[in-house]
Amino acid sequence: MAKKGTFIVFEGGEGSGKDTLINLLKEKLSGRTDVVYTRAPGGTLLGDHIRKLLLSHESADLHPRTELLLFLATHTELVEKVIAPALQAGKTVISNRFTPSTIAYQTYGREQQEHLMLAREALRLVTRGIVPDICIYLDVPPELGAQRTKKRPESLTRFDEEELAFHERVREGYKKHLGEFARKTVTIDTSGATEDAWKKTEEALQSFI
């Protein structure tokens, strides 16, 4: 599908700093009316309802394929109702996660690699050819990411509380498949100071914003 705007995606495991860097980007771009911020899962009325279900500890017994299909449903709503219209209108869309996280979490994290081809094809159907212009992958060792998330216990999700091996598999999935889901991918080490990660983020996005 033809598009006119710019699509920027931030990806990374738990505690990698996506929210922090996106908030800094919002400050940098404050005053601009042509920028749309969203997130996956979520971003729409139905998507936000499904997000609450997916992140809730009450959903701990979800079958992995059910989880995958629910994420695909939220992607569909987000693309059709937010991302595609904004891009067609020439706006810049900045999303906290998109399709790479589905591969990393729902296939690698959940040890469902036998469904990798199915997930790829389903994501192509859902996105209708929309590919991020750039994906900023924030890389942090899972051990450090876990330490960071535990500092905000009031907002821990069932993904935050997965075993370390789960997050290591997620990281593996990201590194193996990131290049498939964006025109350009930049990996930024966020294990150090926020200022360093932000400087690298600004440099990576210079020609996109």
Side-chain angles (χ1 to χ4, degrees), residues 33-157:
T33 59
D34 64 332
V35 182
V36 174
Y37 297 93
T38 191
R39 65 183 181 179
T44 66
L45 180 61
L46 177 62
D48 285 338
H49 283 305
I50 297 176
R51 178 187 177 88
K52 290 179 183 178
L53 173 66
L54 285 167
L55 301 186
S56 171
H57 294 87
E58 296 177 1
S59 302
D61 63 344
L62 269 183
H63 191 281
R65 289 198 299 275
T66 304
E67 184 178 283
L68 171 62
L69 292 169
L70 286 171
F71 271 96
L72 290 171
T74 66
H75 285 320
T76 302
E77 287 289 292
L78 184 60
V79 167
E80 296 295 336
K81 296 182 177 178
V82 178
I83 295 174
L87 292 176
Q88 289 174 338
K91 296 182 179 181
T92 295
V93 177
I94 299 172
S95 183
N96 186 334
R97 298 195 188 279
F98 193 50
T99 52
S101 59
T102 302
I103 296 296
Y105 279 79
Q106 279 63 64
T107 59
Y108 279 78
R110 296 296 181 211
E111 297 184 282
Q112 299 289 304
Q113 286 95 320
E114 68 269 26
H115 299 309
L116 179 59
M117 292 298 294
L118 171 64
R120 277 189 181 126
E121 290 304 313
L123 289 169
R124 288 192 183 100
L125 173 67
V126 165
T127 56
R128 294 195 295 133
I130 293 178
V131 178
D133 295 286
I134 183 170
C135 174
I136 304 291
Y137 171 59
L138 307 179
D139 186 38
V140 66
E143 298 91 337
L144 178 55
Q147 292 173 17
R148 290 173 174 175
T149 57
K150 287 176 182 177
K151 291 179 180 179
R152 44 180 174 84
E154 72 287 344
S155 61
L156 287 178
T157 72

Side-chain angles (χ1 to χ4, degrees), residues 142-182:
E143 298 91 337
L144 178 55
Q147 292 173 17
R148 290 173 174 175
T149 57
K150 287 176 182 177
K151 291 179 180 179
R152 44 180 174 84
E154 72 287 344
S155 61
L156 287 178
T157 72
R158 68 185 181 96
F159 289 97
D160 293 324
E161 297 184 340
E162 288 283 354
E163 60 185 12
L164 184 61
F166 173 87
H167 297 290
E168 290 172 342
R169 293 193 298 270
V170 167
R171 192 186 193 194
E172 176 191 3
Y174 269 129
K175 292 192 172 185
K176 280 188 176 180
H177 299 282
L178 266 177
E180 299 176 19
F181 297 96

